[in-house]
Amino acid sequence: MKIALLGSSYDVVTSVPENYNQEYIYSFIKGLLNQGHEVTYFGVYGSKLPCEVYSLNLDSIDWGYDKDLSDNVKSYAEKQHAYFEIFKYIQESNFDIVHNLSEQQIPVFTAQFLEIPTVTTLFEKPKGLLQSSVKLNQTPKNFYVAVNHDIANSWMGHSKINEIIYSGVNYKDWVYNSESSSNTILLLSKISAQQNVESIIDAAKQGGFRLQIFGEIEDETYYEHKIKPLLTQEINYFGSDQASEYKEHLNQATIAVITKEQFEKSGHFTLQALSCGTPVVVLAEHIDSDYLPEMCGTQINSNDPSVLRKAFVNTTRKSRSDCRDYVVEKFDFKKMTTDYISFYEKVLAV
């Protein structure tokens, strides 16, 4: 099978990923190649992959006669032109299928003009611009895959969802720890008043936990006046929410805690934690999450430190081996790749 894989106009993808999106694309391409398929990747210049790479031309327009356009408008126009160029090339080539992983609206809208079947993976809920493009592109040759049931349900009323294929994780890259004696909570949260970080700190102290905080400071005043005075040898702020920052800590944590906002943005963090055997608390209720069954964690929506403390303590009793086994069974990148190949075959048989 000859596959055209569309990436985003933001991320350079190499064998050393800096974020989950890069890891997803690299692992997926490697899996497709290992199963004997031919892949061409269309993405940002500088991407280095074990397949042919066709770079987006994001600097092709002469703006000399445009005196009043903002940089944002120019950037959008460059992306639009670059993707149009790619689709022109794809239309004139002999690809069997196009798979759009860009998470952007321009490729979705443009795909309706291709004769080649196109699969788009929906990683997020229906934000306005992407929603508009999907609504306008409901042709028989376009197919939509959601990465979990929560995403699929959010698109009801906006688009058909042809398949649900879970995102994968390289669970072998996350060291499994069958026991944790550190009595430590690892928190992934933006630092702002809306996230009530001070209540989480209070709950950790009540429960006798150490706390390691990872996340961007959104509100510097809140951090300086509310959070910084609470930091001690047992309560630490580490900074960035990038995986490279928390990776060495996650398998040592007794439990991991993530806010709703971060969970919806970084659901893969939950898979990383479970790969380590670390149970997870999501600070939200009624999230229809495939990533966090009851045996692996807890959902709770409260700002009461006593209620949070109880949830944290109860979550420490979850089986670490069950957490690891759940990820291995359902979220292996190899399984994800095989599921996509089966879906491609179904699409091509239509």
Side-chain angles (χ1 to χ4, degrees), residues 123-298:
F123 295 92
E124 294 187 331
K125 294 182 178 180
K127 294 179 180 177
L129 290 176
L130 181 59
Q131 178 193 136
S132 171
S133 293
V134 171
K135 283 180 174 179
L136 291 170
N137 184 3
Q138 295 290 317
T139 69
K141 285 189 175 292
N142 280 268
F143 303 84
Y144 295 94
V145 173
V147 295
N148 57 52
H149 286 85
D150 189 33
I151 299 294
N153 291 339
S154 72
W155 281 92
M156 289 178 63
H158 302 299
S159 173
K160 60 184 178 180
I161 298 296
N162 302 97
E163 196 76 66
I164 296 171
I165 298 178
Y166 294 146
S167 294
V169 65
N170 285 318
Y171 62 86
K172 292 180 182 177
D173 289 348
W174 297 86
V175 178
Y176 170 60
N177 187 356
S178 61
E179 296 182 0
S180 174
S181 57
S182 66
N183 206 35
T184 298
I185 296 172
L186 191 152
L187 170 65
L188 193 72
S189 172
K190 290 184 177 178
I191 311 302
S192 69
Q194 290 74 22
Q195 307 305 326
N196 292 294
V197 177
E198 70 269 32
S199 296
I200 300 168
I201 292 174
D202 193 356
K205 288 180 176 178
Q206 286 187 25
F209 293 101
R210 297 174 61 211
L211 182 65
Q212 299 174 339
I213 305 169
F214 294 83
E216 297 176 9
I217 297 175
E218 278 198 329
D219 186 335
E220 191 70 42
T221 301
Y222 171 76
Y223 172 74
E224 289 293 333
H225 293 279
K226 291 287 188 179
I227 301 304
K228 197 171 181 180
L230 299 176
L231 300 180
T232 65
Q233 286 188 332
E234 303 297 314
I235 310 294
N236 296 283
Y237 172 63
F238 284 82
S240 170
D241 61 358
Q242 295 299 309
S244 57
E245 298 294 325
Y246 59 73
K247 187 169 187 176
E248 293 184 5
H249 301 266
L250 193 53
N251 73 313
Q252 296 297 321
T254 307
I255 61 172
V257 177
I258 183 170
T259 59
K260 179 180 179 181
E261 181 181 359
Q262 285 288 99
F263 179 82
E264 292 184 339
K265 171 192 169 189
S266 311
H268 54 272
F269 171 80
T270 305
L271 300 181
Q272 293 164 350
L274 299 183
S275 295
C276 296
T278 304
V280 177
V281 177
V282 178
L283 299 179
E285 283 184 333
H286 309 305
I287 294 177
D288 179 20
S289 174
D290 301 313
Y291 298 153
L292 193 65
E294 188 176 348
M295 67 180 181
C296 296
T298 305

Side-chain angles (χ1 to χ4, degrees), residues 79-118:
K79 292 171 188 173
Q80 178 175 269
H81 185 86
Y83 280 116
F84 285 176
E85 274 190 346
I86 283 174
F87 275 88
K88 187 174 184 293
Y89 173 80
I90 289 173
Q91 183 64 53
E92 296 168 353
S93 303
N94 60 340
F95 291 101
D96 296 304
I97 199 161
V98 178
H99 190 164
N100 172 30
L101 296 172
S102 71
E103 302 184 71
Q104 293 169 261
Q105 72 274 11
I106 298 170
V108 174
F109 179 77
T110 311
Q112 65 188 298
F113 304 112
L114 280 179
E115 295 297 325
I116 307 167
T118 301

Side-chain angles (χ1 to χ4, degrees), residues 9-28:
S9 60
Y10 304 107
D11 286 325
V12 174
V13 183
T14 70
S15 60
V16 185
E18 295 180 356
N19 59 48
Y20 177 75
N21 290 342
Q22 295 171 8
E23 177 187 354
Y24 182 104
I25 290 172
Y26 189 90
S27 299
F28 186 33

Side-chain angles (χ1 to χ4, degrees), residues 34-57:
N34 286 343
Q35 296 201 38
H37 299 283
E38 184 179 347
V39 180
T40 301
Y41 178 72
F42 299 84
V44 177
Y45 175 79
S47 294
K48 296 180 180 178
L49 295 156
C51 67
E52 182 180 6
V53 176
Y54 189 108
S55 298
L56 286 163
N57 187 355

